[in-house]
Amino acid sequence: MTERTILPFGDPILRKQAKPVTEITPKILKILDDMVETLYAADGRAGLAAPQIGILRQLIVMDCGDGLLELINPEILESHGEQVGFEACLSYPGYSGVVKRAKVVKIRSLNRDGESFILEAEDYLARCIQHEIDHLHGILFVDRIQGDELYHDQTGQKVNLLEVIRLTNQQVVNR
Ligand code: ZN
């Protein structure tokens, strides 16, 4: 397994749509393994989506405290309820913001053996899943911040949200 570099906010790849995996090849499994390695090497880890290591495929790894979960081509089938809470991203270390998410999600995904499964998640796990699936569609958590509640973790200072969003979009335009 190889630890990969996590792309930071501002990289245009983070704004692109990831493609579904059509066949689970050794290459795909290697990417998943590398994503796991990268996830567990990171500080404050929760989840990692393939676009964050520069690969536009629908692959996610996460560990929200209940062990490793790997998702291939995940899709949200149902969502309901509401939760409002702090969220952060490995591509934007040192910052957290308040994001509203569905409280419960039901997803369908493939596992690494290519088997389809259904998972119903709530609260923190549901939040992680929604954050990571967003990454597969080029959406970042700063797009979903409530009000302008984005903070620098160490100083507690509010960050200019519009500037951050401009930074993450501008690169797309310039490409
Ligand atoms: Zn993220």
Side-chain angles (χ1 to χ4, degrees):
M1 293 200 261
T2 314
E3 193 184 331
R4 305 282 190 108
T5 302
I6 298 176
L7 302 179
F9 276 18
D11 193 297
I13 293 202
L14 294 177
R15 285 304 192 181
K16 292 188 180 269
Q17 174 72 34
K19 288 195 181 73
V21 172
T22 51
E23 195 188 350
I24 300 173
T25 58
K27 193 180 161 201
I28 292 292
L29 293 175
K30 168 79 168 91
I31 294 168
L32 268 179
D33 288 342
D34 287 356
M35 287 172 66
V36 172
E37 179 86 5
T38 307
L39 176 72
Y40 285 113
D43 230 20
R45 63 192 152 79
L48 184 71
Q52 291 179 277
I53 59 164
I55 294 168
L56 288 169
R57 305 309 293 270
Q58 294 186 5
L59 299 166
I60 287 169
V61 298
M62 64 175 78
D63 187 339
C64 294
D66 306 315
L68 178 65
L69 179 62
E70 295 175 329
L71 303 177
I72 301 171
N73 301 348
E75 50 177 328
I76 294 176
L77 302 175
E78 288 169 31
S79 59
H80 62 264
E82 195 178 290
Q83 56 172 319
V84 178
F86 274 97
E87 216 167 291
C89 182
L90 290 175
S91 291
Y92 192 48
Y95 298 87
S96 310
V98 176
V99 179
K100 182 162 51 172
R101 298 281 187 187
K103 184 174 172 61
V104 179
V105 291
K106 185 174 168 185
I107 64 164
R108 179 170 47 216
S109 173
L110 296 178
N111 66 17
R112 64 162 57 217
D113 297 318
E115 297 157 348
S116 178
F117 66 96
I118 302 279
L119 175 71
E120 198 168 307
E122 59 177 39
D123 298 326
Y124 184 55
L125 181 58
R127 173 178 294 282
C128 291
I129 288 172
Q130 290 168 84
H131 177 115
E132 298 309 327
I133 289 180
D134 268 356
H135 272 302
L136 303 181
H137 304 290
I139 301 165
L140 304 173
F141 84 102
V142 289
D143 302 336
R144 299 191 186 277
I145 295 280
Q146 291 289 293
D148 56 351
E149 296 208 59
L150 179 65
Y151 299 93
H152 187 257
D153 290 336
Q154 281 196 336
T155 63
Q157 298 265 19
K158 240 182 202 181
V159 179
N160 187 325
L161 181 61
L162 284 180
E163 258 173 40
V164 177
I165 291 177
R166 205 175 299 130
L167 162 82
T168 61
N169 280 320
Q170 203 171 24
Q171 301 290 335
V172 179
V173 174
N174 289 345
R175 189 164 213 191

